[in-house]
Amino acid sequence: MDREELKKIDLALSNDAIDWLVKLKSGQATKADEEAFAKWRGKSEAHEAAAKEAELIWHGVGLVGDETIAKERKEKRAKLTRRTLLGGGTLAFAGWAALKTGLVGPRFFADYATGIGERRTIELADGSSVFLNAGTALSAFFSNTERRLTLIEGQASFT
């Protein structure tokens, strides 16, 4: 046999050994498969060498793969944390700014409101009227049995 034929045989044995390891590590291997692999390994020194080589490759790929996956997860977690922190900070600042400027607050939920320097008279559903002074917020609720007016802020005169 020449050198090329030996390489082909070695390559074929290496491929067979890798196939065996894939099968055995798949979680679907039976005791009979393990025994068949042990028998395959015992056929010759070349078979044993191919099996050892496959195990080294399998173990090396596993270590590198585990390290790579752990590194990627750590990097992803770090990016997610920074992104979340930045997004949360931005949202908190926007909420604070909206509250301070009066865009959101108790006035936001009022049925009637006047701005700074604004006065207004409103006729309510029951026929009464209310005069709202500047910077006033009022909520009104009417039902068959109840009439509820809530002055949230400011001044109001009822007629």
Side-chain angles (χ1 to χ4, degrees):
M1 273 189 208
D2 67 351
R3 193 172 173 94
E4 283 300 313
E5 289 177 27
L6 286 174
K7 279 185 181 179
K8 286 180 185 177
I9 292 172
D10 288 343
L11 185 59
L13 286 176
S14 292
N15 287 339
D16 289 346
I18 290 171
D19 289 343
W20 273 109
L21 282 182
V22 169
K23 184 175 186 174
L24 293 173
K25 303 291 183 178
S26 70
Q28 310 240 337
T30 63
K31 191 71 173 167
D33 292 328
E34 291 173 11
E35 290 170 0
F37 178 60
K39 187 176 179 181
W40 181 88
R41 280 181 92 140
K43 283 186 176 181
S44 71
E45 286 183 26
H47 283 79
E48 181 63 26
K52 285 182 179 178
E53 178 189 39
E55 287 170 342
L56 284 173
I57 291 170
W58 185 273
H59 183 66
V61 168
L63 288 177
V64 171
D66 290 346
E67 289 173 6
T68 303
I69 290 169
K71 184 178 178 183
E72 287 174 359
R73 285 182 181 162
K74 185 177 179 182
E75 288 173 359
K76 188 175 182 180
R77 213 172 330 163
K79 287 178 186 175
L80 182 63
T81 302
R82 279 186 242 122
R83 201 175 287 152
T84 302
L85 185 60
L86 184 59
T90 303
L91 186 61
F93 177 76
W96 175 81
L99 190 62
K100 286 297 183 183
T101 60
L103 291 174
V104 177
R107 299 173 57 85
F108 185 72
F109 300 104
D111 294 321
Y112 307 101
T114 56
I116 297 172
E118 178 186 5
R119 295 178 174 188
R120 182 162 51 154
T121 300
I122 298 167
E123 187 164 333
L124 300 173
D126 66 350
S128 63
S129 64
V130 61
F131 172 76
L132 301 178
N133 202 358
T136 300
L138 175 78
S139 287
F141 172 77
F142 295 99
S143 71
N144 292 336
T145 59
E146 184 179 8
R147 175 183 166 195
R148 186 178 348 143
L149 298 171
T150 305
L151 184 61
I152 297 170
E153 66 181 359
Q155 301 169 342
S157 298
F158 299 91
T159 306

